[in-house]
Amino acid sequence: MQCPRCQHENPDGMKFCGQCGAPLTSVCPSCGAANPPGNKFCGQCAAPLARGIEPRFDSPESYTPKHLAEKILTSRSALEGERKQVTVLFADLKGSMELLADRDPEEARKLLDPVLERMMEAVHYYEGTVNQVMGDGIMALFGAPLAHEDHAVRACYAALRMQELVKRYAEEARHGHGVNLQIRVGLNSGEVVVRAIGSDLHMD
């Protein structure tokens, strides 16, 4: 099964892309049938299907602040093929499947989107770049494509900032929706080779 977002070929029966984490099927909110990701209506009961990922989270270009995007695009030719020391940050919503499984897709998005937005805000505040949005989490890079000597420190500060921002939002969600929201953040530093930076800011 081909992923609609990154065109990666996945084995049959997979629910999410093994390359980018995008959903490979849309579950009908009315009858529960699995549908191909391009369907707008359920093939079993004709009910409208909710969209999986909002267009603003489709590609790095759609959620990267303009000033950071310009810096990346002006320096990309110098970065491609270069070995870099980077720190990768991965953050996701703890227990998201249990939290969102029985909710209406629109209600689930209303809970999840503010969490993703706060994660991204923290990354961009320290000039990191969010390379992928994967359903309930993000992968961000510090040190590439924007070079910073203190990339590991920036990533640590971003992790602390997003914990604080989400904690504040979790208070609102607890009062408004009766749910407990927590995020997990992991960091790792090492060498990478930047293969290519697309015009949509996606980096391999």
Side-chain angles (χ1 to χ4, degrees):
M1 182 180 285
Q2 193 179 62
C3 173
R5 189 199 289 170
C6 72
Q7 277 69 57
H8 176 71
E9 279 297 335
N10 291 275
D12 287 340
M14 297 272 107
K15 291 182 180 174
F16 295 91
C17 176
Q19 187 70 25
C20 72
L24 295 174
T25 57
S26 298
V27 176
C28 175
S30 178
C31 73
N35 286 269
N39 280 21
K40 292 182 180 172
F41 295 91
C42 176
Q44 296 295 321
C45 71
L49 296 171
R51 296 165 71 124
I53 289 182
E54 293 293 314
R56 62 197 163 125
F57 297 146
D58 271 353
S59 72
E61 180 184 35
S62 61
Y63 49 72
T64 303
K66 196 174 178 196
H67 71 283
L68 290 180
E70 286 169 1
K71 279 186 183 182
I72 293 166
L73 291 173
T74 54
S75 62
R76 76 173 168 176
S77 59
L79 289 167
E80 289 174 342
E82 187 179 316
R83 187 184 296 266
K84 302 279 291 176
Q85 189 77 20
V86 301
T87 299
V88 178
L89 177 151
F90 181 80
D92 70 348
L93 184 63
K94 187 177 177 186
S96 62
M97 294 301 267
E98 296 79 14
L99 191 68
L100 305 174
D102 298 328
R103 294 181 185 275
D104 174 78
E106 286 181 15
E107 188 192 346
R109 285 248 68 95
K110 281 180 189 169
L111 273 176
L112 186 56
D113 283 356
V115 174
L116 294 173
E117 286 161 7
R118 282 159 177 78
M119 288 176 179
M120 289 187 215
E121 191 280 333
V123 169
H124 294 143
Y125 187 84
Y126 290 101
E127 293 204 331
T129 55
V130 178
N131 197 38
Q132 287 183 16
V133 179
M134 298 165 284
D136 66 345
I138 63 167
M139 183 178 90
L141 301 169
F142 292 82
L146 296 178
H148 292 291
E149 290 295 318
D150 60 346
H151 55 84
V153 175
R154 286 172 182 262
C156 291
Y157 279 129
L160 292 170
R161 182 178 176 87
M162 72 175 63
Q163 289 278 14
E164 187 55 43
L165 292 172
V166 172
K167 194 174 169 186
R168 283 187 224 150
Y169 170 66
E171 286 295 316
E172 295 171 33
R174 195 172 8 262
H175 295 301
H177 302 279
V179 294
N180 261 336
L181 296 177
Q182 284 184 303
I183 61 169
R184 301 176 294 190
V185 187
L187 299 167
N188 192 37
S189 291
E191 280 192 335
V192 299
V193 174
V194 180
R195 279 199 317 198
I197 301 170
S199 51
D200 66 349
L201 304 180
H202 190 83
M203 188 167 73
D204 292 328

